[in-house]
Amino acid sequence: MKHSIWQDGIKIGLIGGGVGVLLSLIGMVEAFSQRHIISNVISMGHTLLLVIALLVGYMAAKRASQTQPLRVLANGLISGLMVGGLLALLVMVGNLVRLRAVFINASPVLYKLLTFDYGIGSGIFLLLCAGTFSGVLSGLFYLSPALARRVLLTSLSSVVMAGVLQDLLRPTFALWGPLAIINEWLFAANGLTIQGAVSLFILMALIIYFWAKRGSAVKTGFRGLPPTKQRALRTTGLLFLIIVLLILPQVLGLFLSEVLTIVGLFVLLGLGLNIVVGYAGLLDLGYVAFFAIGAYTIALLTSPELGFFGFSFWSALPFAIIVGIIFGVLLGIPVLKMRGDYLAIATLGFGEIIRILVLSDFLRPWLGGAQGVGKIPKAAIGSIEFAGPQQIYYLILAGCFLVGFISWRLRDSRLGRAWMAVREDEDVAQAMGINLVAAKLLAFATGAAFSALSGAIFASKLGSVYPHSFNVMISINILCLIIVGGMGSIPGVLVGAIALVGLPELLREFADYRLLVYGAALVAMMLFRPAGLWPEAVHRRELQEEESVGTETESLSGPEPGKQEGV
Amino acid sequence: MIPGSTRMVFLPDPRPMPSNFFSTVKTIYEATLEDGFSMWKRMKERMTPTDIVMWLIGGGMLALIIWGSTATLIAGRYTAHHWFDFMVFGLAQGSIYALIAMGYTMVYGILRMINFAHSEVFMSGPYTAYFVAAFFYSSGFLDQQPIISLLAIFLVSMSVSTLIAVLLERIAYRPLRNAPRLVPLITAIGASFFLQYTFRGLYGSGFQAYPVVKILEGEWAFWDFRILKFQAVVIVAAALLMAALYTFIQRTRVGKAIRAVSEDKEASSLMGIDIDRMIVTTFVIGGMAAGAAGVLYALMFKQVHFSMGFIPGIKAFTAAVLGGIGNIPGAMLGGIFLGLVESVGPSLFLDGLGIVAPYQLKDAIAFTMLVLVLIFRPTGILGEKLAVKKA
């Protein structure tokens, strides 16, 4: 048995170290080191590597039982050492060979970062020490009681989150007089201050501690209330949420409002695809086509550059949606009989065909070719023009509410249930008397309508449309956000859009690695949490049933999602 | 009939006995007429409006193609030399598609999933081998020993692609082998983007120009026709590789085992075949073919890029579907057919329709063909029962 400990530690450590080296070589560590989590103490790049070492140590430690503390610590130590060792190896090799000829990110800056700016000899020693130390820390973490683990994990991750989201928090605090003091206490010019980080940590620890002690009492207290009061509380909560949403752009300023509008557009798109993929189970990879159709219909009808019609935004909007629906049905008919992967590829083909057609010189007189169409007028009600992001936001918010409401009502309707039956098993659904053709076409049409609406707003927001804005990446993006959020779940779309669209917009360093992270997120979600971050009720039930079969659930990845779905 | 039940035996034949030759003929004739009529009726009943719409679309397409082709041929804008060049180019491109399609079709045959990330397997090899090629070029070795350097480039490319394919199988697909159908597909899409952007991070986001191999420059003349050397080399190399792979699958024990696993997993595991190993072998073969195809592609288009895999990947998938997915000779045929249609098509039928710059639409032709095949003949040209079972 003795050497199985070694094997576990070494194997996991090597995998982790490999991931660390990969992240360094693709430039993530260097790019992230621009941003400090705690000012002048630790940067985001270092945090990334630290998290890997801690995670690896924890996973290695988990291989041993908690009753054998020595073994746990040994596992953690070895794996941490391996992570440090591989990174040290990278530095050594990098100093001997000019790796940069092949790997463009293997720069001296990276080596400096990895050796903590202490030169090769002592730097490598430090690196090994740091790896070993974090491995042992993970071992200790694993040995500590459950409550301590929870408190530690949550408060540490909230400190990291505060550091990561400093660009969001700082301007928000700065706008409000009394909160400016908090700002000064928490943030330095670059990252959290030390006292800020410590006080945030303590605050969060206290909150989590008391919630863990008293939280269940609060929950049962809420459940114990009479239904009318529960309802009233929920309604108040909802009203409060709506008010917050309404004043949000005024509070957040121009840049963050712009981020919000982008998130909002993706929520619209996500809600549409959620109907097609989440409800009806039709994997559509050409979804961006309808977005393009909506945008181009608006362009065609309103733009004076083409000079066909000269409609206003509002009179063109219904046409955009109708054209979207027509195309949804038209492209839906041929793929009615396909399932699963064939459907995915065929729809991908449709998406590309539409993009290529729009891009071609052949349709240039009508659609503008590669130069696109410009001078699309803004939407306006009376004298209020939806020009800047702070105004467009309301347009998008209204769209989101409308579409969210429709999908929420559709979910439990006869049609919604028919969709879900089709998703679970087409043949059985048909045998139960569901008209497959109608159900599928309605799903495509509804999804297309939402997408066309989003495209219409997008066109008027940008004032111009280009074929390059409608490539397959958008489809993947939307698919990714509904999968991360949880297929078929409406709040999941929101969570997914904030996590996958909002966060990368806030983190400029992230831009280059966005699709990389999306890809990794898709794989990781499918491997560890196929139902998403905020699963739909049906899926959650299924998962709970399956847990008894013995699938390993990962709760490491983040805090447990919401308690009750459906407000 | 159920064994042991004798009920039927004593029942008289309900059909009237024919008394003479003419009445026999008449009965058969009437029966056939009735059969034909009822068949027609049945067809009419089973024909849904969507079917009619689809057949109309298909008919319309066919009419357009015929009309366009006739118009082009009558106008006579292209000479025989042009057509010959198009064909050779199409053949070269098609044989690359065919090599990539092998990977798709074999993985589909054995795992019943589309390995969406296969296009990245295809990209990773030549992109890595680019650095070897560039090194050989700058040190002058490429010009001194072109054959050896080309072999080394192929070797590097094939091993990197194989490595990526095996890692992909091990990390992303193996844990999901019994998951619902949509799950591995989504994983594959995720893996595809992850790999694409990992290589972008590793090697940079620019286009890298593949070094020119001097012995492949120039052209060979056959009577009146001339072939660019590298196109001929691509065609020959791809044909040799395909022949080798096909022999491997058909003639060796391992190949037989792979075919057995794709036929029936449980049964072959009962016969003592290690399924995991066969699946890995499949990925290895697919990776090798893709790596080789990648170098050929890089030699032909003289550049590599992190997103170079996407379009050829989709087209190779189209080729695999065209030939009947799961069917290896089908994938080869499908690839070559697609290559030819893509290079001849724009000038043949789009030009005749009066479309400006028809060559811009060559990708649209491939995608339209993909969709049409999926609609009208999902079993492909050499369709097998496999696709029927699945559909």
Side-chain angles (χ1 to χ4, degrees):
Chain A
M1 278 314 276
K2 179 139 194 179
H3 77 200
S4 100
I5 321 175
W6 292 96
Q7 274 182 349
D8 278 349
I10 291 177
K11 199 174 141 198
I12 297 176
L14 283 180
I15 294 174
V19 173
V21 169
L22 189 69
L23 288 184
S24 312
L25 282 181
I26 59 179
M28 243 172 156
V29 174
E30 196 185 323
F32 281 15
S33 64
Q34 309 291 325
R35 186 185 293 261
H36 285 224
I37 296 287
I38 299 172
S39 185
N40 298 329
V41 176
I42 187 163
S43 73
M44 216 161 96
H46 281 139
T47 315
L48 195 65
L49 292 177
L50 184 68
V51 167
I52 291 174
L54 288 174
L55 209 64
V56 160
Y58 183 75
M59 274 165 56
K62 241 173 76 175
R63 290 293 172 95
S65 132
Q66 264 169 330
T67 51
Q68 296 166 298
L70 269 182
R71 219 162 160 185
V72 167
L73 290 182
N75 266 354
L77 186 139
I78 292 164
S79 59
L81 186 67
M82 284 294 136
V83 176
L86 274 189
L87 288 171
L89 196 69
L90 171 67
V91 175
M92 284 193 281
V93 171
N95 273 295
L96 290 176
V97 191
R98 229 182 105 252
L99 279 182
R100 205 163 187 191
V102 177
F103 302 110
I104 54 160
N105 283 307
S107 60
V109 183
L110 175 73
Y111 302 140
K112 240 183 172 176
L113 275 170
L114 287 180
T115 51
F116 307 99
D117 215 351
Y118 274 103
I120 299 288
S122 42
I124 283 177
F125 180 69
L126 262 179
L127 188 61
L128 290 178
C129 284
T132 318
F133 185 61
S134 32
V136 174
L137 270 186
S138 289
L140 286 175
F141 176 75
Y142 177 62
L143 290 175
S144 51
L147 179 63
R149 271 193 280 175
R150 194 172 152 199
V151 169
L152 214 61
L153 189 68
T154 327
S155 33
L156 265 182
S157 44
S158 49
V159 170
V160 173
M161 277 320 272
V164 170
L165 294 180
Q166 48 186 298
D167 282 355
L168 173 69
L169 297 174
R170 233 180 326 190
T172 323
F173 285 155
L175 281 173
W176 294 53
L179 289 180
I181 306 161
I182 301 183
N183 218 0
E184 232 155 72
W185 176 257
L186 275 181
F187 293 110
N190 183 9
L192 294 162
T193 55
I194 295 175
Q195 80 264 22
V198 171
S199 46
L200 190 67
F201 181 86
I202 292 171
L203 182 74
M204 284 312 289
L206 285 177
I207 291 175
I208 297 297
Y209 181 74
F210 280 108
W211 180 252
K213 289 276 173 213
R214 295 288 158 87
S216 54
V218 175
K219 264 191 227 163
T220 46
F222 179 72
R223 293 228 180 86
L225 287 175
T228 47
K229 267 202 171 163
Q230 269 191 32
R231 234 195 143 112
L233 265 175
R234 284 219 179 103
T235 322
T236 343
L238 198 65
L239 271 179
F240 181 70
L241 196 75
I242 290 175
I243 292 171
V244 168
L245 280 177
L246 282 179
I247 58 170
L248 216 48
Q250 311 309 326
V251 177
L252 290 180
L254 209 60
F255 169 64
L256 290 175
S257 305
E258 173 69 22
V259 174
L260 273 182
T261 55
I262 297 172
V263 171
L265 281 176
F266 273 94
V267 169
L268 269 180
L269 285 168
L271 285 171
L273 190 65
N274 190 36
I275 287 191
V276 186
V277 179
Y279 288 1
L282 305 162
L283 186 59
D284 187 346
L285 291 184
Y287 191 64
V288 69
F290 307 117
F291 186 55
I293 286 166
Y296 266 95
T297 312
I298 288 286
L300 206 65
L301 290 178
T302 61
S303 169
E305 206 171 77
L306 293 171
F308 290 132
F309 300 98
F311 281 24
S312 76
F313 175 79
W314 293 110
S315 44
L317 187 62
F319 287 103
I321 294 173
I322 290 168
V323 171
I325 291 175
I326 291 172
F327 269 88
V329 173
L330 274 184
L331 297 188
I333 288 175
V335 296
L336 276 175
K337 283 189 184 155
M338 294 176 203
R339 285 178 196 184
D341 23 24
Y342 273 28
L343 176 74
I345 297 288
T347 46
L348 183 75
F350 278 143
E352 283 295 288
I353 290 172
I354 291 206
R355 191 179 64 86
I356 293 169
L357 283 181
V358 169
L359 195 60
S360 69
D361 286 339
F362 161 55
L363 292 174
R364 189 167 184 169
W366 299 281
L367 297 176
Q371 269 89 50
V373 185
K375 290 186 189 157
I376 298 168
K378 304 282 177 199
I381 300 177
S383 60
I384 309 164
E385 198 184 32
F386 294 99
Q390 278 169 320
Q391 291 84 44
I392 293 260
Y393 171 81
Y394 292 105
L395 195 62
I396 293 173
L397 190 67
C400 284
F401 267 117
L402 180 73
V403 166
F405 181 75
I406 294 175
S407 15
W408 173 54
R409 295 299 298 164
L410 273 177
R411 192 186 54 193
D412 292 324
S413 69
R414 198 178 165 77
L415 183 60
R417 286 174 185 272
W419 282 336
M420 283 176 212
V422 171
R423 177 185 72 193
E424 298 306 327
D425 192 323
E426 232 168 74
D427 299 323
V428 175
Q430 193 170 25
M432 298 309 285
I434 289 168
N435 184 347
L436 282 186
V437 173
K440 284 186 177 181
L441 286 185
L442 275 171
F444 279 124
T446 321
F450 292 175
S451 182
L453 172 67
S454 181
I457 299 178
F458 176 76
S460 113
K461 170 175 177 271
L462 238 61
S464 51
V465 287
Y466 303 100
H468 296 291
S469 333
F470 307 106
N471 59 22
V472 69
M473 300 298 163
I474 306 277
S475 297
I476 300 294
N477 216 324
I478 307 163
L479 178 72
C480 200
L481 78 87
I482 67 169
I483 282 167
V484 167
M487 273 202 266
S489 139
I490 298 170
V493 172
L494 202 66
V495 171
I498 291 172
L500 290 184
V501 182
L503 275 183
E505 292 289 336
L506 288 177
L507 302 174
R508 278 156 283 115
E509 302 92 327
F510 220 67
D512 277 349
Y513 304 103
R514 200 166 157 162
L515 280 155
L516 184 129
V517 174
Y518 282 7
L522 274 185
V523 177
M525 290 307 285
M526 285 294 120
L527 287 177
F528 302 122
R529 210 184 161 91
L533 289 178
W534 191 318
E536 182 205 8
V538 181
H539 272 139
R540 205 178 312 155
R541 238 179 289 139
E542 274 171 12
L543 275 190
Q544 275 159 4
E545 273 164 27
E546 271 168 30
E547 238 151 64
S548 55
V549 183
T551 47
E552 201 184 311
T553 48
E554 289 292 303
S555 51
L556 251 176
S557 48
E560 282 295 314
K563 309 109 230 168
Q564 272 284 319
E565 198 202 353
V567 187
Chain B
M1 193 163 55
I2 307 154
S5 96
T6 48
R7 200 165 56 90
M8 293 291 282
V9 176
F10 300 106
L11 283 175
D13 191 341
R15 284 172 301 185
M17 290 288 279
S19 54
N20 56 36
F21 176 72
F22 287 107
S23 65
T24 315
V25 172
K26 203 177 155 215
T27 324
I28 292 175
Y29 172 74
E30 276 171 356
T32 328
L33 195 72
E34 204 182 18
D35 267 7
F37 190 68
S38 66
M39 219 174 87
W40 169 243
K41 241 171 75 182
R42 240 184 300 138
M43 241 176 85
K44 234 173 71 182
E45 276 163 14
R46 284 176 56 180
M47 198 81 157
T48 58
T50 50
D51 285 338
I52 295 169
V53 171
M54 270 156 50
W55 283 106
L56 282 179
I57 295 173
M61 290 258 181
L62 200 67
L64 276 180
I65 289 173
I66 293 173
W67 185 35
S69 313
T70 332
T72 311
L73 290 178
I74 289 172
R77 273 183 55 193
Y78 300 97
T79 62
H81 286 275
H82 284 130
W83 292 121
F84 181 76
D85 286 348
F86 290 146
M87 300 272 260
V88 173
F89 179 74
L91 211 58
Q93 203 170 17
S95 35
I96 292 173
Y97 292 157
L99 272 178
I100 313 171
M102 299 267 291
Y104 277 108
T105 220
M106 284 177 63
V107 167
Y108 192 91
I110 209 159
L111 286 182
R112 299 287 183 276
M113 66 165 283
I114 297 172
N115 181 8
F116 203 87
H118 193 61
S119 47
E120 269 52 63
V121 171
F122 162 79
M123 171 273 291
S124 62
Y127 206 166
T128 311
Y130 158 77
F131 294 100
V132 180
F135 173 71
F136 283 157
Y137 182 73
S138 61
S139 65
F141 190 68
L142 190 65
D143 292 335
Q144 288 162 15
Q145 298 287 348
I147 307 282
I148 295 177
S149 359
L150 273 178
L151 282 181
I153 291 169
F154 267 101
L155 200 69
V156 169
S157 169
M158 284 162 84
S159 27
V160 171
S161 288
T162 309
L163 180 75
I164 296 288
V166 171
L167 280 180
L168 200 64
E169 195 272 334
R170 186 69 196 81
I171 295 170
Y173 300 154
R174 194 177 291 183
L176 297 172
R177 215 169 274 165
N178 296 316
R181 290 184 65 93
L182 226 49
V183 170
L185 179 65
I186 293 171
T187 312
I189 295 171
S192 166
F193 281 92
F194 175 76
L195 284 174
Q196 236 181 67
Y197 283 82
T198 302
F199 278 91
R200 178 182 190 261
L202 286 178
Y203 300 149
S205 58
F207 284 87
Q208 311 277 14
Y210 237 69
V212 175
V213 185
K214 281 214 181 97
I215 53 163
L216 296 183
E217 293 303 294
E219 34 187 39
W220 281 309
F222 295 94
W223 301 289
D224 211 7
F225 295 104
R226 275 172 298 185
I227 299 185
L228 291 174
K229 272 185 190 170
F230 68 82
Q231 285 183 351
V233 168
V234 165
I235 294 171
V236 172
L240 284 178
L241 278 167
M242 278 189 281
L245 285 178
Y246 189 64
T247 321
F248 178 79
I249 297 291
Q250 291 295 326
R251 293 290 158 84
T252 61
R253 269 180 78 86
V254 179
K256 207 187 223 171
I258 289 177
R259 278 182 293 138
V261 174
S262 47
E263 198 78 26
D264 189 330
K265 263 198 209 115
E266 275 96 56
S268 45
S269 110
L270 288 176
M271 303 308 287
I273 296 172
D274 184 348
I275 296 198
D276 278 347
R277 238 180 77 193
M278 286 312 124
I279 293 177
V280 172
T281 315
T282 308
F283 273 85
V284 167
I285 297 172
M288 275 162 55
V295 176
L296 295 179
Y297 191 84
L299 287 177
M300 200 155 138
F301 295 98
K302 306 232 161 35
Q303 61 180 17
V304 282
H305 185 236
F306 73 92
S307 66
M308 69 185 259
F310 181 70
I311 295 282
I314 300 238
K315 287 187 183 158
F317 174 75
T318 311
V321 174
L322 213 62
I325 194 140
N327 182 327
I328 295 168
M332 299 175 183
L333 263 184
I336 290 167
F337 181 62
L338 182 70
L340 282 176
V341 169
E342 221 184 73
S343 81
V344 176
S347 343
L348 185 61
F349 40 80
L350 291 184
D351 206 348
L353 293 174
I355 285 173
V356 198
Y359 217 67
Q360 287 176 341
L361 295 181
K362 86 182 167 81
D363 288 351
I365 290 186
F367 290 126
T368 315
M369 224 156 89
L370 168 68
V371 175
L372 287 180
V373 172
L374 287 178
I375 294 168
F376 292 106
R377 201 177 156 78
T379 50
I381 304 171
L382 300 184
E384 277 185 300
K385 51 198 182 301
L386 200 151
V388 180
K389 231 193 297 178
K390 181 237 135 205

